[in-house]
Amino acid sequence: MNNSIPYGRQNITPEDILAVTEALQSDYLTQGPRILEFENEFASYVGSKFAVAVSNGTAALHLNALALGVKPGNKVITTPLTFAASANCIRYCGGTVVFADIDPDTYLLDIKAVRKLLESAPRGTYQGIVPVDFAGRAVDLEAFRKLADEFDLWIIEDSCHSPGGFFIDSQGVQQHCGNGNFADLAIFSFHPVKHIACGEGGMISTNDEALYKKLLALRTHGIVKDEDLYTNSIEFASAKASTNQYPAWYMEMQMLGFNYRLTDFQAALGTSQLQRADFGLEVRRRIAKTYFQAFKNEDFIKGQSGVIEGHAYHLYVLEVEDRLGLYNYLRENNIYAQIHYIPCHLMPYYRELGWKEGDMPIAENYYKHCISLPMYPTLTRDEQVFVIEKINEFYNV
């Protein structure tokens, strides 16, 4: 096959282009009506009360940590099997990241390992947990919520891999990622290889109105323009008293925030992409089923993502022997698989903070064998068959 096959790829349709063009030709390029439209439609999609659009997923994580009051000395638990931003957001606020190992069967943060950390330290040592819906598999947040409540912790759900994903709760109900029923805050990414592509972009979802209002201010320099949120400003009070009118120019910077805004044309693209999000999920799940059937009886497979109810399949992962050999062989055949991830605690930055090889043995063993296969809705049947053939060819020559 002559065309290259990446592990992920965006899909931009004529409808997407029209939506962006209309936004570019409108009166607003940023801070306009398309932001709120995107936020409202996304909140409806995941089932949350509120949503806040921001410039990227990392910004979403940072604002969450700020809104929850993370400060120097605070300890927060997360998984080593994630993109670095899931941990870095705590460091941005001066907090301390504590990694807990993964469950080898799910690749998700192991709740037993988290409980062990909590029970081995004085109460109040830890402030929160950042579980990650790795590869698109939803964390059982009902169980994590019970644990968090037991130890008075907040939860940030990193759902960058899982819009549309869900788990089944103890009552048999589908609980969608980011719906706000269990996590205090959840975040999503709109990077080109994600389910919904805005070029860059992110979203925060929550059911907590106080956190929602705080996030709105934090994403725009900490500035508030809502009369109901103003403090007892002398200028505002005197202007209103003398004119009995709202001084429209008035605003307050109430906290130190950031410029983490999304543009209107990015929001227009996101809103357009959201219209076919369910179809994209359906295709991803069909691709996953094909991979699973192809490899389920192969001796060279140590593990694979499998067919899991509610899985959003941002990634489809195999665990294999001679991962490097397979990776290079696929590249020689224009198949550009990827590795997700080098465990965070082994990155030089976190090594300098005291983490070392052997601290997270399950995540480290996973990393030695994992490879992410091409997974995106426009992957053709012929392309997927070619990928499967080349993997079998590598191990069966």
Side-chain angles (χ1 to χ4, degrees):
M1 186 165 289
N2 294 325
N3 295 332
S4 64
I5 305 174
Y7 89 91
R9 173 178 278 157
Q10 73 270 20
N11 178 29
I12 304 299
T13 66
E15 291 78 13
D16 293 337
I17 294 170
L18 178 61
V20 172
T21 300
E22 289 177 347
L24 290 171
Q25 292 173 336
S26 73
D27 292 335
Y28 294 91
L29 293 186
T30 189
Q31 296 179 271
R34 286 174 174 80
I35 304 298
L36 184 59
E37 178 187 3
F38 186 28
E39 290 171 338
N40 288 341
E41 292 204 19
F42 192 86
S44 177
Y45 180 68
V46 301
S48 66
K49 292 181 180 178
F50 308 104
V52 179
V54 293
S55 53
N56 53 63
T58 301
L61 284 162
H62 186 195
L63 292 185
N64 282 4
L66 289 169
L68 290 166
V70 176
K71 58 184 182 295
N74 287 173
K75 288 187 175 182
V76 176
I77 300 169
T78 193
T79 170
L81 185 56
T82 185
F83 185 64
S86 308
N88 292 352
C89 65
I90 305 305
R91 297 294 301 145
Y92 295 156
C93 299
T96 299
V97 177
V98 179
F99 295 105
D101 216 339
I102 64 170
D103 182 322
D105 296 324
T106 66
Y107 307 148
L108 304 178
L109 182 64
D110 187 348
I111 194 169
K112 297 187 296 296
V114 175
R115 174 173 285 280
K116 185 176 180 181
L117 280 173
L118 295 172
E119 290 180 343
S120 65
R123 194 173 189 84
T125 298
Y126 294 95
Q127 278 66 47
I129 310 171
V130 185
V132 176
D133 299 320
F134 175 71
R137 184 166 184 166
V139 171
D140 182 352
L141 283 179
E142 181 181 29
F144 271 97
R145 182 75 265 168
K146 290 177 181 177
L147 180 64
D149 288 346
E150 183 181 343
F151 288 89
D152 194 24
L153 308 175
W154 47 253
I155 296 175
I156 297 173
E157 179 187 8
D158 185 333
S159 301
C160 283
H161 291 184
S162 62
F166 62 85
F167 72 94
I168 306 298
D169 71 12
S170 59
Q171 303 302 311
V173 176
Q174 290 184 7
Q175 296 288 344
H176 283 261
C177 299
N179 67 8
N181 289 341
F182 300 104
D184 297 86
L185 296 162
I187 71 103
F188 298 85
S189 167
F190 305 133
H191 183 276
V193 298
K194 299 299 198 303
H195 296 64
I196 298 164
C198 294
E200 289 285 357
M203 192 74 78
I204 303 166
S205 61
T206 185
N207 288 344
D208 188 315
E209 187 172 8
L211 285 174
Y212 167 67
K213 290 180 177 179
K214 190 172 185 180
L215 288 163
L216 291 177
L218 283 168
R219 78 167 172 191
T220 310
H221 302 283
I223 291 174
V224 169
K225 293 184 179 180
D226 184 340
E227 182 178 353
D228 293 335
L229 300 178
Y230 289 155
T231 59
N232 294 322
S233 164
I234 295 174
E235 180 185 2
F236 175 72
S238 61
K240 188 171 184 181
S242 63
T243 64
N244 199 31
Q245 293 180 349
Y246 169 65
W249 72 85
Y250 187 76
M251 55 83 172
E252 291 182 357
M253 178 181 164
Q254 296 182 343
M255 63 196 81
L256 184 62
F258 296 83
N259 180 356
Y260 280 163
R261 297 187 296 255
L262 192 70
T263 66
D264 269 54
F265 51 91
Q266 287 174 299
L269 177 56
T271 303
S272 179
Q273 294 244 318
L274 190 56
Q275 308 313 306
R276 59 180 187 279
D278 284 339
F279 174 74
L281 268 176
E282 180 184 332
V283 176
R284 287 174 182 271
R285 288 167 177 160
R286 187 164 66 241
I287 291 170
K289 185 174 182 179
T290 299
Y291 277 139
F292 176 69
Q293 293 296 330
F295 297 123
K296 66 179 182 179
N297 296 319
E298 296 291 348
D299 293 339
F300 58 83
I301 298 294
K302 296 175 61 64
Q304 60 174 320
S305 291
V307 178
I308 308 297
E309 185 177 15
H311 203 302
Y313 292 106
H314 167 55
L315 306 173
Y316 194 91
V317 180
L318 298 184
E319 290 183 82
V320 296
E321 297 291 355
D322 192 12
R323 187 265 309 277
L324 178 59
L326 174 61
Y327 176 85
N328 288 334
Y329 185 74
L330 292 177
R331 289 177 70 87
E332 290 168 7
N333 287 277
N334 291 325
I335 300 168
Y336 293 89
Q338 188 55 277
I339 307 303
H340 297 90
Y341 293 100
I342 301 172
C344 279
H345 72 289
L346 297 183
M347 294 292 183
Y349 173 81
Y350 284 101
R351 284 180 181 267
E352 289 178 3
L353 295 177
W355 296 95
K356 62 185 183 303
E357 193 167 355
D359 285 341
M360 301 287 127
I362 300 173
E364 291 167 26
N365 182 67
Y366 161 87
Y367 166 62
K368 292 175 183 177
H369 302 283
C370 68
I371 187 167
S372 300
L373 304 186
M375 169 59 78
Y376 47 93
T378 57
L379 183 72
T380 68
R381 172 69 179 177
D382 287 347
E383 287 172 332
Q384 187 177 18
V385 168
F386 181 72
V387 171
I388 293 167
E389 287 176 350
K390 288 303 170 184
I391 293 172
N392 283 321
E393 186 177 284
F394 175 77
Y395 284 105
N396 292 314
V397 291

Coordinates of all heavy atoms in Angstrom, one line a residue, residues 106-152:
T106 N -7.0 -3.4 32.9 CA -7.8 -2.2 32.3 C -6.9 -1.1 31.8 O -7.3 -0.3 31.0 CB -8.7 -1.6 33.3 OG1 -8.0 -1.0 34.4 CG2 -9.7 -2.7 33.9
Y107 N -5.6 -1.1 32.3 CA -4.7 0.0 32.0 C -5.0 1.3 32.7 O -4.4 2.3 32.5 CB -4.5 0.2 30.5 CG -4.2 -1.0 29.6 CD1 -4.6 -1.0 28.3 CD2 -3.4 -2.0 30.1 CE1 -4.4 -2.1 27.5 CE2 -3.2 -3.1 29.3 CZ -3.6 -3.2 28.0 OH -3.3 -4.3 27.2
L108 N -6.0 1.2 33.6 CA -6.5 2.4 34.3 C -5.9 2.5 35.7 O -5.4 1.5 36.2 CB -8.0 2.4 34.4 CG -8.8 2.3 33.1 CD1 -10.3 2.3 33.3 CD2 -8.5 3.5 32.1
L109 N -5.9 3.7 36.3 CA -5.5 3.9 37.6 C -6.1 2.8 38.5 O -7.3 2.7 38.6 CB -5.8 5.3 38.1 CG -5.4 5.7 39.5 CD1 -3.9 5.8 39.6 CD2 -6.0 7.1 39.8
D110 N -5.2 2.1 39.3 CA -5.7 1.0 40.1 C -6.2 1.6 41.4 O -5.5 2.2 42.2 CB -4.5 0.1 40.4 CG -4.9 -1.2 41.2 OD1 -6.0 -1.2 41.7 OD2 -4.1 -2.1 41.3
I111 N -7.5 1.4 41.7 CA -8.2 2.0 42.9 C -7.6 1.4 44.1 O -7.5 2.0 45.2 CB -9.7 1.9 42.8 CG1 -10.3 2.8 43.8 CG2 -10.1 0.4 42.9 CD1 -11.8 2.9 43.7
K112 N -7.2 0.1 44.1 CA -6.6 -0.5 45.2 C -5.3 0.1 45.6 O -4.9 0.3 46.8 CB -6.4 -2.0 45.0 CG -7.7 -2.8 44.7 CD -7.5 -4.3 44.7 CE -6.6 -4.7 43.5 NZ -7.2 -4.3 42.2
A113 N -4.5 0.5 44.6 CA -3.2 1.2 44.8 C -3.4 2.6 45.4 O -2.7 3.0 46.3 CB -2.4 1.3 43.5
V114 N -4.5 3.2 44.9 CA -4.8 4.6 45.5 C -5.2 4.4 46.9 O -4.8 5.2 47.8 CB -5.9 5.2 44.6 CG1 -6.4 6.5 45.3 CG2 -5.5 5.5 43.2
R115 N -6.1 3.5 47.2 CA -6.5 3.3 48.6 C -5.3 3.0 49.5 O -5.2 3.5 50.7 CB -7.5 2.2 48.7 CG -7.9 1.8 50.2 CD -9.0 0.8 50.3 NE -10.3 1.4 49.9 CZ -11.0 2.1 50.8 NH1 -10.6 2.4 52.0 NH2 -12.2 2.6 50.4
K116 N -4.4 2.2 49.0 CA -3.2 1.9 49.8 C -2.4 3.2 50.2 O -2.0 3.3 51.3 CB -2.3 0.9 49.1 CG -1.1 0.4 49.9 CD -0.3 -0.6 49.1 CE 0.9 -1.1 49.9 NZ 1.7 -2.1 49.1
L117 N -2.3 4.1 49.2 CA -1.6 5.3 49.5 C -2.3 6.1 50.5 O -1.7 6.7 51.5 CB -1.5 6.2 48.2 CG -0.4 5.8 47.2 CD1 -0.6 6.6 45.9 CD2 1.0 6.1 47.8
L118 N -3.6 6.2 50.4 CA -4.4 7.0 51.3 C -4.4 6.5 52.7 O -4.3 7.2 53.7 CB -5.9 7.1 50.8 CG -6.1 7.9 49.5 CD1 -7.5 7.7 49.0 CD2 -5.7 9.3 49.6
E119 N -4.5 5.2 52.8 CA -4.5 4.6 54.2 C -3.2 4.5 54.8 O -3.1 4.4 56.1 CB -5.1 3.1 54.1 CG -6.6 3.1 53.7 CD -7.1 1.7 53.6 OE1 -6.3 0.7 53.5 OE2 -8.3 1.5 53.6
S120 N -2.1 4.7 54.1 CA -0.8 4.7 54.6 C -0.3 6.0 55.1 O 0.9 6.2 55.6 CB 0.2 4.1 53.6 OG 0.4 4.9 52.5
A121 N -1.1 7.1 54.9 CA -0.7 8.4 55.2 C -1.7 9.0 56.2 O -2.8 8.6 56.2 CB -0.6 9.3 54.0
P122 N -1.3 10.0 57.0 CA -2.2 10.7 57.8 C -3.4 11.4 57.0 O -3.1 11.8 55.9 CB -1.4 11.8 58.5 CG 0.0 11.3 58.4 CD 0.1 10.5 57.1
R123 N -4.5 11.4 57.6 CA -5.7 11.9 56.9 C -5.4 13.4 56.6 O -4.8 14.1 57.4 CB -6.9 11.8 57.8 CG -8.2 12.1 57.1 CD -9.4 11.8 57.9 NE -10.6 11.9 57.1 CZ -11.1 10.9 56.4 NH1 -10.5 9.7 56.4 NH2 -12.2 11.0 55.7
G124 N -5.7 13.8 55.4 CA -5.5 15.2 55.0 C -4.2 15.4 54.2 O -3.9 16.4 53.7
T125 N -3.4 14.3 54.1 CA -2.1 14.3 53.3 C -2.4 14.6 51.8 O -1.7 15.4 51.2 CB -1.4 13.0 53.4 OG1 -1.0 12.8 54.8 CG2 -0.1 13.0 52.6
Y126 N -3.5 14.0 51.3 CA -3.8 14.2 49.9 C -5.1 15.0 49.7 O -6.0 15.0 50.6 CB -4.1 12.8 49.3 CG -2.8 11.9 49.3 CD1 -2.6 11.0 50.3 CD2 -1.9 12.0 48.2 CE1 -1.4 10.2 50.3 CE2 -0.7 11.3 48.2 CZ -0.5 10.4 49.2 OH 0.6 9.6 49.2
Q127 N -5.1 15.8 48.6 CA -6.2 16.7 48.3 C -7.1 16.2 47.2 O -8.3 16.6 47.2 CB -5.7 18.1 48.0 CG -5.3 18.9 49.2 CD -4.1 18.4 49.9 OE1 -3.1 18.0 49.3 NE2 -4.2 18.3 51.3
G128 N -6.6 15.4 46.3 CA -7.4 15.0 45.1 C -6.8 13.9 44.3 O -5.7 13.4 44.6
I129 N -7.6 13.4 43.4 CA -7.3 12.3 42.5 C -7.6 12.8 41.0 O -8.6 13.4 40.8 CB -8.1 11.1 42.8 CG1 -8.1 10.7 44.3 CG2 -7.6 9.9 42.0 CD1 -9.0 9.6 44.7
V130 N -6.6 12.4 40.1 CA -6.8 12.7 38.7 C -6.8 11.3 38.0 O -5.8 10.9 37.5 CB -5.8 13.6 38.1 CG1 -6.1 14.0 36.7 CG2 -5.7 14.9 38.9
P131 N -8.0 10.6 37.9 CA -8.0 9.4 37.1 C -8.1 9.8 35.6 O -8.7 10.8 35.3 CB -9.3 8.7 37.6 CG -10.1 9.7 38.2 CD -9.2 10.9 38.6
V132 N -7.6 8.9 34.7 CA -7.6 9.1 33.3 C -8.3 8.0 32.6 O -8.1 6.8 32.8 CB -6.1 9.2 32.8 CG1 -6.1 9.4 31.3 CG2 -5.4 10.4 33.5
D133 N -9.2 8.4 31.7 CA -9.9 7.4 30.8 C -9.0 7.0 29.7 O -9.2 7.3 28.5 CB -11.2 8.0 30.3 CG -12.2 8.4 31.3 OD1 -12.3 7.7 32.3 OD2 -12.8 9.5 31.2
F134 N -8.0 6.2 30.0 CA -6.9 5.9 29.1 C -7.4 5.1 27.9 O -8.1 4.1 28.0 CB -5.8 5.1 29.8 CG -4.7 4.7 28.9 CD1 -3.8 5.6 28.3 CD2 -4.6 3.3 28.5 CE1 -2.8 5.2 27.4 CE2 -3.6 2.9 27.6 CZ -2.8 3.8 27.1
A135 N -7.0 5.6 26.7 CA -7.3 5.0 25.4 C -8.8 5.1 25.0 O -9.2 4.7 23.9 CB -6.9 3.5 25.4
G136 N -9.6 5.6 26.0 CA -11.0 5.7 25.7 C -11.9 4.8 26.6 O -13.1 4.8 26.6
R137 N -11.2 4.0 27.5 CA -11.9 3.2 28.5 C -12.3 4.0 29.7 O -11.4 4.6 30.3 CB -11.1 2.0 28.9 CG -11.8 1.0 29.8 CD -11.1 -0.3 29.9 NE -11.9 -1.3 30.7 CZ -11.7 -2.6 30.7 NH1 -10.7 -3.1 30.0 NH2 -12.4 -3.4 31.5
A138 N -13.6 4.0 30.0 CA -14.0 4.9 31.1 C -13.7 4.3 32.5 O -13.8 3.1 32.8 CB -15.6 5.0 31.0
V139 N -13.1 5.2 33.3 CA -12.9 4.8 34.7 C -14.2 4.6 35.5 O -15.2 5.3 35.2 CB -12.1 6.0 35.4 CG1 -11.9 5.7 36.9 CG2 -10.7 6.1 34.8
D140 N -14.2 3.7 36.4 CA -15.4 3.5 37.3 C -15.4 4.6 38.3 O -14.8 4.5 39.4 CB -15.3 2.1 37.9 CG -16.5 1.9 38.8 OD1 -17.4 2.8 39.0 OD2 -16.7 0.7 39.3
L141 N -16.0 5.7 37.9 CA -15.9 6.9 38.8 C -16.8 6.8 40.0 O -16.7 7.5 41.0 CB -16.3 8.2 38.1 CG -15.1 8.7 37.2 CD1 -15.6 9.9 36.4 CD2 -13.9 9.0 38.0
E142 N -17.8 5.9 39.9 CA -18.7 5.6 41.1 C -17.8 5.1 42.3 O -17.9 5.6 43.4 CB -19.8 4.7 40.8 CG -20.7 4.4 41.9 CD -21.8 3.4 41.6 OE1 -21.6 2.5 40.7 OE2 -22.9 3.5 42.2
A143 N -16.9 4.2 41.9 CA -16.1 3.6 43.0 C -15.1 4.6 43.5 O -14.8 4.8 44.7 CB -15.3 2.4 42.4
F144 N -14.5 5.4 42.6 CA -13.6 6.5 43.0 C -14.2 7.6 43.8 O -13.6 8.1 44.7 CB -12.9 7.1 41.7 CG -11.6 6.3 41.4 CD1 -11.6 5.4 40.4 CD2 -10.4 6.6 42.0 CE1 -10.4 4.7 40.0 CE2 -9.2 5.9 41.7 CZ -9.3 5.0 40.7
R145 N -15.5 7.9 43.5 CA -16.2 8.9 44.2 C -16.4 8.4 45.7 O -16.3 9.2 46.6 CB -17.6 9.2 43.6 CG -18.4 10.2 44.3 CD -17.9 11.6 44.0 NE -17.0 12.1 45.0 CZ -16.2 13.2 44.8 NH1 -16.2 13.9 43.7 NH2 -15.4 13.6 45.7
K146 N -16.8 7.2 45.9 CA -16.9 6.6 47.2 C -15.6 6.8 48.0 O -15.6 7.1 49.2 CB -17.4 5.2 47.2 CG -18.8 5.0 46.7 CD -19.2 3.6 46.6 CE -20.6 3.4 46.1 NZ -21.0 1.9 46.0
L147 N -14.5 6.4 47.3 CA -13.2 6.5 48.0 C -12.8 8.0 48.3 O -12.3 8.3 49.4 CB -12.1 5.9 47.1 CG -10.7 5.9 47.6 CD1 -10.6 5.0 48.8 CD2 -9.7 5.4 46.5
A148 N -13.1 8.8 47.3 CA -12.8 10.3 47.5 C -13.6 10.8 48.7 O -13.1 11.6 49.5 CB -13.1 11.0 46.2
D149 N -14.9 10.5 48.7 CA -15.7 11.0 49.8 C -15.2 10.5 51.2 O -15.3 11.2 52.2 CB -17.1 10.6 49.6 CG -17.8 11.4 48.5 OD1 -17.2 12.4 48.0 OD2 -18.9 10.9 48.0
E150 N -14.7 9.3 51.2 CA -14.2 8.7 52.4 C -13.0 9.5 53.0 O -12.9 9.6 54.2 CB -13.8 7.2 52.2 CG -13.3 6.5 53.4 CD -13.0 5.0 53.1 OE1 -13.4 4.5 52.0 OE2 -12.2 4.4 53.9
F151 N -12.2 10.0 52.1 CA -11.0 10.7 52.5 C -11.1 12.2 52.2 O -10.0 12.9 52.2 CB -9.8 10.1 51.8 CG -9.4 8.7 52.3 CD1 -10.0 7.6 51.8 CD2 -8.5 8.6 53.4 CE1 -9.7 6.3 52.3 CE2 -8.2 7.4 53.9 CZ -8.8 6.2 53.3
D152 N -12.3 12.7 51.9 CA -12.5 14.1 51.6 C -11.6 14.7 50.5 O -10.9 15.7 50.7 CB -12.2 14.9 52.9 CG -12.8 16.3 52.8 OD1 -13.7 16.6 52.0 OD2 -12.3 17.2 53.6

